[in-house]
């Protein structure tokens, strides 16, 4: 027996029971005509399209964060992992901060306070803003999304260079500087750490760092804890000799033996930068430097051609989870060792940062 020429459908939602076997009414010709006309209008250009900017998106995210249970004093940690320029990301951060402060939320710097984490990520089609809001007994999350096409004109320049980082060590005690010296094939990998009052040498064994020796810094090299600075220097022609730059002093020692640390007065200044080169990336050399000056927020490492002006756009960038304390030698010409203080955990972290080329 033939079925009748009618449409059948099931309806189900949370407020009604399923209704089965009810013939749907035939759609009037006028409704088809209206639907056809609407379909000719591009959605993106229609009067119903919702215009928005990234600033709108950040404003809404801040509104959601304020509406959630939250602390009244917070440290804002802003992380940009999307194709946004540093300036644009900073502008969005200012919009977010202004909205929170307008809601009587105090954002602190350099003080102990719960961290309000905001990250900017991207997918093939979206820019995703996520706020992790601290509250008593836990955290809450707010999310906003925007079309990735909104930042197409603001995207970082595409190139073959990139920076990669690898966490090699972390500790609670303060680290002023660190070096991963170049070693001959078969030799034990070594890490040299400059603490506030000593030079500490570690050796790597089965993937773990073990303490090998500690050399105390001589009297007169102590610094005030909050402003303590230092930088380790390794000469390419003699990697067993390590130089220690401190404010007004330069010290030397051979880290492979028991010789003491010897210091003298100097006017040499510390430069937290490293000149990198990699044959796979061409014949150019590149300066690796820190981009930030705020010691209470996340930082960014930038790579620039050594002959380019200091204000030129970076060839590559790398976000790190806190201020960069020092940049020293790595195990080869294409890498460096960076010390970072993680603003979330408070730990001091040692990273190997390497220059690489995209396929």
């Amino acid at each position: 027996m033939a079925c009748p020429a009618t449409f059948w459908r099931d309806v189900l939602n949370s407020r009604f029971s399923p209704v089965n076997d009810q013939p749907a009414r035939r759609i009037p010709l006028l409704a088809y005509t209206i639907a056809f006309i609407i379909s000719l209008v591009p959605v993106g250009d229609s009067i119903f399209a919702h215009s928005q900017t990234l600033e709108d998106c950040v404003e809404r995210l801040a509104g959601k964060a304020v509406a959630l249970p939250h602390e009244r004093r917070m440290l804002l940690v802003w992380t940009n992992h999307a194709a946004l320029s540093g300036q644009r990301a900073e502008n969005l951060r200012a919009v977010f901060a202004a909205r929170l402060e307008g809601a009587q939320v105090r954002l602190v710097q350099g003080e102990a306070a719960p961290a309000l984490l905001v990250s900017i990520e991207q997918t093939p089609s979206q820019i995703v803003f996520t706020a992790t809001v601290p509250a008593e007994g836990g955290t809450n999350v707010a999310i906003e999304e925007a079309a990735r096409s909104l930042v197409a004109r603001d995207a970082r320049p595409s190139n073959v260079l990139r920076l990669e980082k690898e966490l090699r060590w972390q500790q609670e005690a303060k680290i002023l500087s660190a070096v991963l010296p170049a070693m001959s094939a078969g030799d034990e990998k070594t890490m040299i750490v400059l603490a506030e009052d000593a030079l500490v040498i570690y050796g790597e064994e089965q993937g773990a760092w073990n303490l090998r020796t500690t050399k105390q810094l001589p009297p007169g090299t102590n610094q005030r804890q909050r402003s303590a600075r230092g930088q380790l220097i390794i000469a390419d022609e003699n990697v067993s000799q390590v130089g220690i730059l401190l404010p007004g002093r330069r010290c030397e020692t051979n880290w492979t033996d028991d010789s003491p640390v010897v210091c003298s007065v100097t006017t040499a200044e510390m430069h937290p930068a490293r000149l990198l080169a990699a044959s796979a990336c061409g014949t150019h050399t590149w300066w690796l430097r820190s981009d930030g000056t705020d010691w209470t927020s996340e930082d960014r490492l930038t790579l620039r051609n050594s002959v380019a002006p200091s204000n030129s756009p970076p060839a590559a960038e790398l976000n790190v989870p806190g201020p960069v304390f020092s940049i020293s030698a790595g195990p080869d010409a294409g890498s460096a060792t960076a010390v970072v203080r993680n603003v979330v955990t408070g730990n001091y972290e040692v990273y190997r940062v390497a220059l690489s080329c995209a396929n």
Side-chain angles (χ1 to χ4, degrees), residues 13 35 38 70 93 169 184 188 200 205 272 287 291 301-302 332 345:
N13 63 30
I38 292 176
H70 60 272
R93 183 184 191 276
W169 179 259
S184 301
E188 181 182 66
V200 186
E205 185 177 354
W287 279 113
D291 192 52
L301 293 170
T302 60
D332 53 64
T345 66

Side-chain angles (χ1 to χ4, degrees), residues 108-307:
V108 301
Q109 292 184 349
E111 301 178 27
L116 167 56
L117 309 178
V118 178
S119 66
I120 312 174
E121 309 286 345
Q122 68 182 36
T123 71
S125 61
Q126 300 288 320
I127 299 294
V128 183
F129 297 85
T130 303
T132 304
V133 184
E136 185 176 355
T139 58
N140 298 295
V141 176
I143 298 175
E144 275 291 334
E145 296 180 346
R148 187 169 173 179
S149 58
L150 291 176
V151 298
R153 288 170 293 180
D154 189 50
R156 297 170 182 163
S158 174
N159 51 58
V160 298
L161 292 173
R162 67 174 183 265
L163 290 169
E164 299 176 343
K165 69 177 185 286
E166 178 189 9
L167 180 62
R168 303 296 286 133
W169 179 259
Q170 58 182 329
Q171 65 181 47
E172 293 183 10
K174 191 169 190 176
I175 298 176
L176 302 183
S177 184
V179 164
L180 296 164
M183 306 300 295
S184 301
D187 288 349
E188 181 182 66
K189 292 182 180 179
T190 300
M191 178 175 63
I192 306 172
V193 172
L194 177 61
E196 293 180 284
D197 58 356
L199 195 67
V200 186
I201 294 93
Y202 296 91
E204 189 177 43
E205 185 177 354
Q206 296 181 348
W209 292 107
N210 298 309
L211 178 63
R212 293 291 181 251
T213 186
T214 299
K215 295 191 175 193
Q216 295 296 321
L217 299 181
T221 59
N222 294 337
Q223 306 175 58
R224 289 184 299 176
Q225 187 172 9
R226 288 183 61 86
S227 59
R229 296 182 300 134
Q231 185 173 359
L232 294 178
I233 302 171
I234 293 283
D236 293 336
E237 63 276 6
N238 185 8
V239 295
S240 62
Q241 196 73 14
V242 59
I244 307 169
L245 280 182
L246 300 169
R249 288 177 175 263
R250 180 187 173 100
C251 306
E252 301 275 349
T253 189
N254 188 321
W255 59 266
T256 63
D257 60 25
D258 296 331
S259 59
V261 178
V262 179
C263 300
S264 60
V265 177
T266 184
T267 58
E269 296 183 358
M270 285 174 270
H271 298 284
R274 175 72 172 166
L275 192 63
L276 303 182
S279 58
C281 300
T283 59
H284 295 290
T285 54
W286 311 85
W287 279 113
L288 178 70
R289 290 188 170 96
S290 165
D291 192 52
T293 57
D294 184 356
W295 293 90
T296 64
S297 64
E298 294 188 343
D299 204 345
R300 182 179 62 158
L301 293 170
T302 60
L303 190 74
R304 287 184 172 87
N305 193 304
S306 60
V307 298

